[in-house]
Structures are given as C-alpha cells and as structure tokens.
Amino acid sequence: MTIATPWKGKYLSVRTAGTWEYAERVGSIAAAVILAIDGEGQLLLVEQYRVPLGRNCLELPAGLVGDESAGESVADAARRELEEETGYHAAIVEERGDFYASPGMTSESFTLVVATGLTRTGDGGGDADENITVHRVPLDAVAGFVAEKRRAGVAIDAKMLLLLGGGLLAELGGE
C-alpha cells in the first residue's frame, strides 16, 4: 500500500494509505502523560483551553518527548512538562506502558507515567502560549470532580478513563 503525504506542517502531517486518511506527528515524536500524586494523596490535573474543541478541557498533565532536545527520555520529558504545567518536580517517574488514544485517526502514542516524590517549585501554568489551571484533587474524589467539571461544560480528555475505568486509582490508593 502506498503512503502519501498530501499536507505537512511544523508539527503534524496528514497521510493517506489507500482510502485511509490519518494524522501523524512530524518526526515520530511521542508524548508522556503524567499521573502525578503529591505526598498528601492529591492527584494533579490540569485544565486548559483547547483550540480544536473551542473550550476548556480537563486533562492529566502531558507533553511531547524530544520536542525540545533530541534523545530526551520519557522520564526527563515527564519531569520537564510536569514542572512547566503544574509547578511540581517529580523525584520518581515510573513508566506504565505505551498507549494510543485514537488509532483510527492518528498514529500518535503516549507513555503513561506515575510521578511521585513531588516538590513544589513554582506556580506552573504552562508556557507563554498556555493558560493552565492546576487542580489538586484527593484520589477518592476524582470521579466526583470529573463529573462536576463535565456538568460545568468542561471537555474531558479520554485519557481520564485510565483513572476512572481502569482500576488505576484503586491501585494507587484512591476510589
């Protein structure tokens, strides 16, 4: 099957394979999605405006691996992004596996990591182009918090299902 690239930007390309159309990150850059839990049993979540959705979205902190320096490890990217977005530095980052959020539309993958041993280093909020709100939520209150945000009209990232339906919270001491 022939793969063609009808459009390529700085970060994304559109690819075709037969009648299939999909998006791909330029340079095969992956992402780190961070499940960060502080010493008080609070889960760090971020809320930010997402242009494709036209509204705020509740998410786990996340970021690209290797977009700023070639050869960056998943753990280093997770630490960098967590600190940038939330203002917390993680002493321990454990990889929990690779996942694909929407394999029918994009080849993008992410590695789920659990970050602990957190130290507050700043306010977070992201870079100059982001306006991130940081939420600290007790592990046993995550489901209710997500439901409250949904009722308020906030979009919910599908990766939140890893927490709500995958038993991960129970494993970490929550619901």
Side-chain angles (χ1 to χ4, degrees):
M1 183 176 298
T2 302
I3 298 177
T5 306
W7 179 86
K8 182 176 180 180
K10 184 176 179 180
Y11 301 106
L12 295 174
S13 62
V14 172
R15 308 281 298 228
T16 59
T19 60
W20 204 268
E21 300 173 342
Y22 61 97
E24 185 172 80
R25 285 231 181 255
V26 172
S28 300
I29 291 176
V33 173
I34 308 147
L35 189 80
I37 302 162
D38 69 16
E40 298 174 10
Q42 307 277 315
L43 176 68
L44 299 180
L45 298 175
V46 295
E47 182 178 335
Q48 62 185 311
Y49 183 81
R50 292 298 194 176
V51 172
L53 305 177
R55 61 182 169 151
N56 278 6
C57 187
L58 184 66
E59 310 168 4
L60 292 167
L64 298 178
V65 178
D67 64 327
E68 293 188 8
S69 61
E72 181 179 42
S73 71
V74 169
D76 287 344
R79 282 187 181 94
R80 174 178 52 79
E81 290 289 345
L82 182 66
E83 196 160 356
E84 177 185 297
E85 291 189 0
T86 70
Y88 285 85
H89 176 79
I92 301 166
V93 175
E94 301 172 279
E95 293 185 26
R96 293 295 179 104
D98 295 328
F99 298 86
Y100 298 85
S102 187
M105 188 189 84
T106 178
S107 63
E108 182 181 42
S109 67
F110 66 89
T111 301
L112 179 67
V113 302
V114 174
T116 54
L118 303 185
T119 304
R120 181 95 190 250
T121 60
D123 293 334
D127 63 26
D129 296 329
E130 299 170 312
N131 185 17
I132 296 173
T133 301
V134 180
H135 299 287
R136 290 178 65 238
V137 183
L139 288 173
D140 62 359
V142 170
F145 183 79
V146 171
E148 177 183 312
K149 285 294 184 177
R150 183 186 308 280
R151 283 191 301 275
V154 174
I156 308 299
D157 187 310
K159 291 180 272 313
M160 295 296 292
L161 292 171
L162 291 167
L163 294 174
L164 300 174
L168 196 50
L169 278 180
E171 177 184 329
L172 298 168
E175 300 174 336

